[in-house]
Amino acid sequence: MTALDLSSPVAVVGTGTMGQGIAQVALVAGHPVRLYDAVPGRAGQAAAAIGARLDRLVEKDRLTAADRDAARARLGAADSLAELADCALVVEAVLERLDVKQELFREVEGVVADDCLLATNTSSLSVTAIGGALRNPGRLVGLHFFNPAPLLPLVEVVSGFATDVTSATRAYETARAWGKTPVACADTPGFIVNRIARPFYAEAFAVLESQAADPATIDAVLRESGGFRMGAFELTDLIGQDVNESVTHSVWQSFFQDVRFTPSLAQRRLVESGRLGRKSGHGWYDYGDGAERPEPHTAEKEQPPAYVVVEGDLGPASELTALIREAGITVREEDEDHGTRLVLPGGGQLVLADGQTSGEFRDVVYFDLALDYRRATRVALSASQDTAPRTLAEAIGLFQALGKDVSVIGDVPGMIVARTVARVVDLAHDAVAKGAATEEDVDTAMRLGVNYPLGPFEWSRRLGRSWAYDLLDDLHLRDPSGRYAPSLALYRHAYAGEKREGAS
């Protein structure tokens, strides 16, 4: 099954920001495009807005004047659904309400030919439920573009329970012909991106609610240590707190209130107060005129230790050994079977976040996971009230000697980056095990859809088979609500094969 021929007309119903973006993508690809909106005059306004954007592309040398003129000639506004009768594809981008979408498609189905492909751009509703209102649900597919559609490459191609393979394949190939990067997924709550991305927001909010760190510090650690392009607080301010919370709530409800997707009370209060982010002028941060962005907590300068003892290989933090030597600090290495850690001159220990807390041990400072310890510009540490001041000072001084800013946060298990990555990895394994998508498509979706520095399976391979499972298992012991209970899929990935071999 091949992509739609470029001579085939494409209709977009709903001419808001997303509808206009999808129409522009199809138009620039070479299709005749018709816009329809239930509000009189709005389709014509949308056509004019798209034309203006094409003008800007010409000004930026991203489109020739001839191609612009040809595209404008192919773009038209329809006054009624009847004018879409000869379209080969109708894409819906209307209000995110099931009853509205179902009624629209019932009307469209009565107008278009039997071989017309129907697509919904829903981000949170069930494609299966939308298609359930149709006489022929097999031709309905989800085409979930990301905003702004002309710029972002990812398209989730979602097959509902009744979607024909030929319909899904044609939609996939058409998206690819339009210059997009499509990924195939089943009709599960949140599809790929909105399902697997929930912990990125949820764990940041949980650290805030535990009073372990403020938004500016958490965001800085996610960016400067985790390698994420934006922190959770600044990103939800950009998305809109109401929009982000609505998606979280939808996924939570659709999974029958699974505790792993529980919405944040702190975010609920923010929405209730009308602080919706950039669009309202205030969210987690203040965007008013003259408002100053709060600075992350950064520790004062401390003296580096004269030496450290490295016990074990440090696992995902093994690169630290070379960095410490390069900083001129003596490194003594010892093989240890019972753990991996750095021992400081005062006798205290520096341990990579593992789901336990500093307060459980005599004198331990935890340090957070980093995407790349050499390139990271900030590292988070956590300590308890019982941690020796000398141990914390030596830990701070050590990372400062490596050229890092240091943020000291409260004694929360899993810290910030580590618990976030572990939960994202877990949800990814669970989704693949349940047939939502392939590992490759999950990694592609998370890198392109939300700009993650690595896909979940890339993280998993880098960190080791058992790393995420062990961390979440420790977290689950300390918070037995089920939020951190590792999935069976993650357990199988980490241990099942190994234990089966041992039993034989």
Side-chain angles (χ1 to χ4, degrees):
M1 182 61 67
T2 58
L4 293 176
D5 189 272
L6 290 181
S7 64
S8 302
V10 172
V12 178
V13 180
T15 58
T17 301
M18 184 57 78
Q20 290 181 32
I22 295 170
Q24 181 179 327
V25 170
L27 188 66
V28 172
H31 288 273
V33 173
R34 292 187 199 136
L35 300 171
Y36 174 77
D37 199 291
V39 179
R42 189 168 288 177
Q45 294 170 3
I50 293 171
R53 283 200 290 273
L54 296 179
D55 288 340
R56 289 195 290 273
L57 291 177
V58 172
E59 292 170 2
K60 296 176 181 179
D61 292 326
R62 296 177 184 173
L63 189 70
T64 67
D67 286 341
R68 175 200 59 196
D69 294 342
R72 278 181 165 168
R74 295 193 303 271
L75 179 62
D79 294 324
S80 69
L81 288 175
E83 296 179 47
L84 311 184
D86 64 336
C87 289
L89 167 63
V90 177
V91 184
E92 163 274 314
V94 301
L95 187 65
E96 195 75 345
R97 272 180 43 187
L98 179 60
D99 59 336
V100 173
K101 294 179 186 292
Q102 286 179 327
E103 179 58 30
L104 170 64
F105 278 117
R106 274 194 291 262
E107 294 181 30
V108 170
E109 191 176 35
V111 169
V112 299
D114 289 342
D115 60 352
C116 176
L117 183 64
L118 305 180
T120 172
N121 184 58
T122 184
S123 61
S124 60
L125 298 176
S126 164
V127 173
T128 302
I130 295 170
L134 297 179
R135 216 174 41 252
N136 176 18
R139 60 168 161 175
L140 179 74
V141 65
L143 274 181
H144 181 214
F145 289 77
F146 289 74
N147 195 26
L151 297 180
L152 295 186
L154 184 69
V155 177
E156 292 179 320
V157 181
V158 186
S159 293
F161 184 78
T163 301
D164 292 334
V165 173
T166 53
S167 298
T169 303
R170 171 152 285 182
Y172 185 98
E173 293 300 333
T174 297
R176 184 157 62 177
W178 290 357
K180 296 302 181 182
T181 303
V183 293
C185 60
D187 184 23
T188 61
F191 309 142
I192 298 174
V193 173
N194 281 332
R195 173 179 180 166
I196 295 173
R198 293 350 292 162
F200 179 75
Y201 314 110
E203 293 312 307
F205 299 162
V207 172
L208 173 70
E209 290 171 341
S210 68
Q211 301 186 62
D214 59 276
T217 299
I218 296 169
D219 278 354
V221 172
L222 286 168
R223 288 194 314 270
E224 300 174 38
S225 182
F228 294 95
R229 185 167 296 184
M230 298 180 75
F233 297 93
E234 56 191 342
L235 180 54
T236 52
D237 268 357
L238 179 63
I239 295 169
Q241 298 302 330
D242 53 340
V243 174
N244 182 260
E245 192 210 25
S246 177
V247 173
T248 298
H249 196 271
S250 175
V251 172
W252 175 63
Q253 289 282 20
S254 297
F255 275 114
F256 307 105
Q257 300 186 357
D258 186 329
V259 69
R260 294 176 302 166
F261 300 100
T262 301
S264 161
L265 181 59
Q267 189 179 37
R268 174 91 292 263
R269 294 291 179 256
L270 203 67
V271 173
E272 289 174 339
S273 71
R275 294 186 172 187
L276 306 181
R278 289 181 178 270
K279 63 185 178 184
S280 71
H282 205 305
W284 297 111
Y285 301 109
D286 184 354
Y287 300 95
D289 293 340
E292 293 185 7
R293 180 71 175 264
E295 294 294 325
H297 168 75
T298 302
E300 297 294 329
K301 186 70 176 175
E302 297 285 358
Q303 289 297 313
Y307 69 90
V308 295
V309 178
V310 177
E311 296 184 350
D313 64 5
L314 299 185
S318 59
E319 189 177 24
L320 285 176
T321 302
L323 295 178
I324 294 169
R325 283 199 174 99
E326 290 170 17
I329 298 172
T330 300
V331 175
R332 303 172 188 170
E333 295 188 67
E334 296 182 4
D335 292 329
E336 290 289 335
D337 295 331
H338 60 272
T340 59
R341 61 198 175 194
L342 294 163
V343 180
L344 300 165
Q349 300 173 23
L350 191 54
V351 180
L352 177 63
D354 59 6
Q356 301 180 84
T357 62
S358 180
E360 299 171 50
F361 304 97
R362 184 181 63 83
D363 197 12
V364 167
V365 171
Y366 277 104
F367 65 96
D368 208 352
L369 180 68
L371 172 68
D372 182 333
Y373 283 99
R374 182 173 294 276
R375 295 184 179 181
T377 57
R378 182 177 299 272
V379 171
L381 303 179
S382 69
S384 73
Q385 293 180 343
D386 297 327
T387 302
R390 176 179 175 179
T391 298
L392 181 57
E394 288 177 338
I396 292 170
L398 174 64
F399 280 104
Q400 288 174 338
L402 306 186
K404 319 298 182 189
D405 288 329
V406 175
S407 292
V408 179
I409 69 170
D411 189 19
V412 288
M415 301 191 68
I416 298 171
V417 179
R419 70 197 288 175
T420 299
V421 170
R423 288 208 59 216
V424 166
V425 166
D426 182 45
L427 289 190
H429 277 278
D430 185 54
V432 169
K434 292 176 178 173
T438 65
E439 291 186 8
E440 181 181 4
D441 278 353
V442 167
D443 277 354
T444 298
M446 301 313 291
R447 281 189 283 100
L448 298 183
V450 277
N451 290 311
Y452 282 9
L454 294 175
F457 291 96
E458 292 172 316
W459 269 114
S460 187
R461 288 189 290 272
R462 175 181 288 199
L463 296 169
R465 293 183 69 90
S466 66
W467 179 86
Y469 179 89
D470 291 345
L471 188 145
L472 291 175
D473 197 37
D474 279 340
L475 268 168
H476 179 54
L477 288 174
R478 287 150 185 82
D479 178 1
S481 64
R483 177 189 181 103
Y484 299 103
S487 66
L488 178 60
L490 189 63
Y491 167 74
R492 285 174 172 158
H493 172 75
Y495 287 113
E498 173 186 318
K499 293 192 180 231
R500 186 167 54 250
E501 291 173 6
S504 63

